[in-house]
């Protein structure tokens, strides 16, 4: 029995969330010595190399495939530009505040995506999805409460900007499936962030610009960061292309859970009561959104087996 696109989108988003959490963990390790823009450059250049081989292979294999629609470059530019800006904001926060808190700020994106999808893409969003999204957002606020963590204005502004930037980038991504292959979209994003990181290293701000020669172990972490980010980006694109934005977007809340546990492994303290309640709300939010589609597929499988 074939799984529905909604269920596949949910699974892809969970895989993407874990991949990005791993990427952020490696970036956090590297940030103790390497500036944010240099981190972005190395993360992206690894992604460019991987995706270039993949894109060439897919292009050769599908040379006789039906051609896609022409155009779409404005949407592609929005995806690359806003996505690159959001990545800078996230990497700055990763370098300057705890991993879980930095991720929590970035994960405000689903609430923006749901409303953008509803008002601009005219997607149907049920009351249950809206409620689940709000519940997850409350959990995020509890985890990343500035009054508890003592964050700076720069961290708060970067957190808000990262959420809005990624929301616009993801909505633009939704309309690209008719114009470009998934591999080309990822390659374009990687090229954009590589350029951002390259020129960003010229910025004379501590923790942002500059260049530090990585050590041997840091080169290994850079490779791991690039590979995990590439895999995560692939699943992210697939999720947004095959499933409604309002359904798959809130699943990305799970990235916070993964990041908190990875942060603990890296030396972060165990979450306090407020953070624990926030985690519980996020888990409930993700299950509430994912369960209906998954149960529907399970029901189809059960019905098919009963008729055999």
């Amino acid at each position: 029995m074939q799984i529905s696109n909604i269920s596949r989108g949910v699974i892809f988003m969970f895989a993407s969330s874990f991949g990005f959490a791993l990427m952020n963990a490696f970036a956090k390790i590297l940030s103790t010595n390497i500036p944010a823009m240099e981190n972005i450059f190395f993360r992206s250049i690894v992604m460019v190399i991987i995706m270039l081989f993949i894109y060439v292979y897919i292009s050769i294999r599908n040379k006789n495939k039906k051609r896609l629609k022409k155009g779409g470059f404005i949407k592609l530019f929005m995806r690359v530009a806003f996505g690159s800006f959001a990545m800078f904001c996230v990497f700055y926060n990763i370098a300057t505040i705890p991993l879980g808190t930095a991720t929590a700020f970035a994960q405000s994106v689903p609430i923006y995506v749901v409303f953008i999808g509803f008002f601009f893409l005219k997607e149907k969003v049920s009351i249950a999805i809206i409620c689940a999204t709000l519940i997850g957002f409350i959990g995020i606020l509890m985890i990343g409460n500035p009054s508890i963590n003592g964050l700076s204005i720069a961290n708060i502004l970067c957190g808000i900007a990262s959420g809005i930037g990624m929301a616009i980038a993801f909505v633009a991504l939704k309309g690209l499936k008719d114009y470009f292959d998934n591999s080309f979209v990822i390659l374009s994003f990687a090229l954009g962030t590589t350029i951002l990181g390259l020129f960003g290293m010229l910025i004379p701000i501590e923790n942002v610009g500059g260049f530090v020669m990585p050590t041997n172990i840091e080169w290994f972490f850079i490779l791991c960061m690039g590979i995990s980010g590439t895999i995560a980006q692939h699943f992210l694109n697939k999720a947004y292309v095959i499933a409604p934005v309002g359904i798959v977007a809130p699943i990305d809340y799970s990235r916070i859970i993964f990041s908190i546990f990875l942060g603990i492994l890296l030396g972060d303290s165990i979450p306090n009561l407020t953070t624990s309640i926030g985690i519980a709300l996020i888990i409930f939010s993700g299950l509430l959104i994912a369960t209906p589609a998954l149960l529907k597929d399970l029901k189809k499988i059960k019905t098919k087996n009963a008729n055999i």
Side-chain angles (χ1 to χ4, degrees), residues 276-299:
S276 298
I277 294 175
I279 292 174
L281 291 177
I282 293 170
I283 293 174
F284 176 73
S285 171
L287 292 176
L288 185 62
I289 295 166
T291 298
L294 294 176
L295 289 179
K296 183 178 180 180
D297 284 329
L298 290 174
K299 184 178 180 180

Side-chain angles (χ1 to χ4, degrees), residues 227-245:
I227 292 174
S228 59
T230 302
I231 294 174
Q233 192 71 52
H234 170 75
F235 282 120
L236 178 74
N237 282 29
K238 294 290 289 186
Y240 275 94
V241 165
I242 69 174
V245 171

Side-chain angles (χ1 to χ4, degrees), residues 152-273:
S152 67
I153 296 297
N155 292 134
I156 295 173
L157 291 177
C158 278
I160 295 173
S162 65
I164 296 175
M166 282 192 283
I168 297 174
F170 291 163
V171 170
L173 175 64
K174 182 68 176 179
L176 289 176
K177 64 179 179 179
D178 295 329
Y179 299 96
F180 307 102
D181 290 329
N182 184 47
S183 58
F184 180 78
V185 174
I186 299 176
L187 177 60
S188 299
F189 177 69
L191 287 170
T193 52
T194 299
I195 294 172
L196 171 69
L198 182 61
F199 285 97
M201 285 189 283
L202 301 176
I203 300 175
I205 300 178
E206 186 179 1
N207 295 321
V208 176
F211 178 83
V212 177
M213 179 60 67
T215 63
N216 290 337
I217 188 63
E218 286 173 341
W219 281 118
F220 172 74
F221 289 142
I222 286 171
L223 181 62
C224 292
M225 178 176 64
I227 292 174
S228 59
T230 302
I231 294 174
Q233 192 71 52
H234 170 75
F235 282 120
L236 178 74
N237 282 29
K238 294 290 289 186
Y240 275 94
V241 165
I242 69 174
V245 171
I247 291 179
V248 298
I251 301 299
D252 203 23
Y253 284 139
S254 62
R255 193 186 308 185
I256 299 177
I257 302 173
F258 296 135
S259 295
I260 288 176
F261 282 110
L262 289 174
I264 292 174
L265 293 177
L266 294 176
D268 289 346
S269 59
I270 297 176
N272 55 32
L273 179 61

Side-chain angles (χ1 to χ4, degrees), residues 33-44 91 197-198 200-201 208-214 219 222 225:
N33 184 49
I34 296 178
M37 282 298 187
E38 186 180 348
N39 256 339
I40 291 176
F41 172 78
F42 280 127
R43 182 267 193 189
S44 301
F91 270 58
L198 182 61
M201 285 189 283
V208 176
F211 178 83
V212 177
M213 179 60 67
W219 281 118
I222 286 171
M225 178 176 64

